[in-house]
Amino acid sequence: MKDAYKTREQLINELRTLRRSIAKMERAKCKFEEAEKRLHKKLTEHEKLSALGRLTANVAHEIRNPITIIGGFAERLNKNIPSGAKEKEYAELISLEVKRLEDILRDVLLFSNKPFFVKKKLDINRVAVESLNAYKILCNQRSISIQRSFGEVTPVYADKKHIKEAINNLISNAIDAMPQGGSLTIETNEESMNRKNYVTLKIADTGIGIPEKNLNLIFEPFFTTKVTKKETGLGLSICKKIVEGHGGFIKVDSPTGKGSVFSLYFPYRSQ
Ligand SMILES: Nc1ncnc2c1ncn2[C@@H]1O[C@H](COP(=O)(O)OP(=O)(O)OP(=O)(O)O)[C@@H](O)[C@H]1O
Ligand SMILES: [Mg+2]
């Protein structure tokens, strides 16, 4: 209908509808602008982080050699000093601290470099058993019982060394979370999510749990709540990097007071 034939009421209604649409568009525009700002900020942070990562990797690389040399000489000194001498104790201390520095550097290098994965067909159950065996004695000493529930899972296509590193980090965190003892469960399975199939590995503990406010922070590099000085707070960020580097993802659940469950999801590949 031409505007000339419309009643005053109709014209007012149309004007209202038009104003409502304009208001909606303005709200949408604001939202888009906010999203654009957020993404821009993230991009800048990302660029800063990768520059920092490169710098850290270079520094870590440079100090690695002198540290190895110091460690080597400390061992030689240690061998030549008769037992019982005070100097032997000092040499042992140097070796111990050098080992700690080497571990930190290894973590930092692993975190700041793009890890190079050598992917092969891998039985995740076997890797889990190997990791568990490495922690058996410690679990025993800490009154932690181990439960295993291994499914018949399809092999994943993955780098054994790195997957083991991820599992070890999770087991080590679970042990730290149960200073009074408890139960550590490791479970493998196959699962579907959003119409995709995954091979999963879950590590559950009955420990202190994770406060909700920390759930978003724990995967950030250098975030740690531990105060023993030996932690770098890189364990979970490394796990995340490893799993994502295999096309998978990591998830955490920590219902208050009931411990935590960390789940690794690896893409299912039909064999
Ligand atoms: N199973 C768990 N139960 C309770 N808290 C956990 C658990 N796993 C991780 N966290 C929390 O997440 C933080 C980060 O873990 P992450 O493994 O990255 O570092 P870390 O264990 O503190 O140090 P690092 O692994 O470098 O020795 C921990 O300090 C702890 O607060
Ligand atoms: Mg850790």
Side-chain angles (χ1 to χ4, degrees), residues 30-42:
C30 277
K31 269 192 191 157
F32 280 129
E33 279 172 354
E34 273 168 28
E36 193 196 4
K37 262 190 218 157
R38 256 200 325 272
L39 280 178
H40 202 267
K41 199 171 156 222
K42 272 213 165 136

Side-chain angles (χ1 to χ4, degrees), residues 173 177 205 209-210 218 223-226 231-236 260:
N173 280 348
D205 64 67
I210 303 165
I218 56 173
F223 176 83
T224 181
T225 55
K226 300 174 188 171
E231 284 83 11
T232 50
L234 281 174
L236 284 178
S260 314

Side-chain angles (χ1 to χ4, degrees), residues 76-242:
R76 277 169 72 176
L77 276 177
N78 193 7
K79 266 190 203 146
N80 294 325
I81 299 170
S83 48
K86 199 83 191 140
E87 286 74 12
K88 197 169 180 71
E89 202 184 301
Y90 299 154
E92 274 164 11
L93 263 175
I94 296 173
S95 296
L96 215 70
E97 291 300 305
V98 162
K99 167 85 183 54
R100 191 160 77 88
L101 282 173
E102 279 173 344
D103 285 349
I104 295 174
L105 282 183
R106 195 195 48 139
D107 278 358
V108 170
L109 278 170
L110 185 62
F111 179 77
S112 47
N113 281 327
K114 198 171 166 26
F116 177 71
F117 296 123
V118 185
K119 296 182 185 169
K120 290 183 184 156
K121 233 179 176 184
L122 184 71
D123 176 359
I124 202 121
N125 288 343
R126 260 185 68 185
V127 190
V129 169
E130 285 179 21
S131 284
L132 275 179
N133 284 343
Y135 285 94
K136 233 177 178 168
I137 297 174
L138 188 62
C139 283
N140 225 331
Q141 287 168 346
R142 304 269 177 99
S143 311
I144 295 171
S145 65
I146 298 175
Q147 303 351 293
R148 303 162 182 218
S149 168
F150 291 154
E152 264 184 40
V153 293
T154 320
V156 291
Y157 189 65
D159 182 310
K160 183 175 177 190
K161 195 178 87 189
H162 284 97
I163 298 298
K164 203 164 167 185
E165 163 107 23
I167 300 175
N168 286 353
N169 278 338
L170 295 180
I171 296 180
S172 157
N173 280 348
I175 295 174
D176 287 345
M178 297 185 283
Q180 320 287 349
S183 169
L184 172 84
T185 306
I186 185 156
E187 184 192 307
T188 57
N189 222 326
E190 284 177 8
E191 225 177 84
S192 284
M193 195 186 275
N194 300 329
R195 278 188 258 131
K196 278 192 189 153
N197 296 329
Y198 295 93
V199 172
T200 61
L201 181 137
K202 303 193 178 193
I203 293 178
D205 64 67
T206 55
I208 52 175
I210 303 165
E212 210 179 323
K213 67 174 171 49
N214 288 350
L215 283 175
N216 283 332
L217 301 171
I218 56 173
F219 295 105
E220 293 290 323
F222 304 110
F223 176 83
T224 181
T225 55
K226 300 174 188 171
V227 285
T228 54
K229 201 170 94 178
K230 71 175 172 45
E231 284 83 11
T232 50
L234 281 174
L236 284 178
S237 50
I238 287 173
C239 279
K240 185 167 183 275
K241 199 164 181 170
I242 292 173

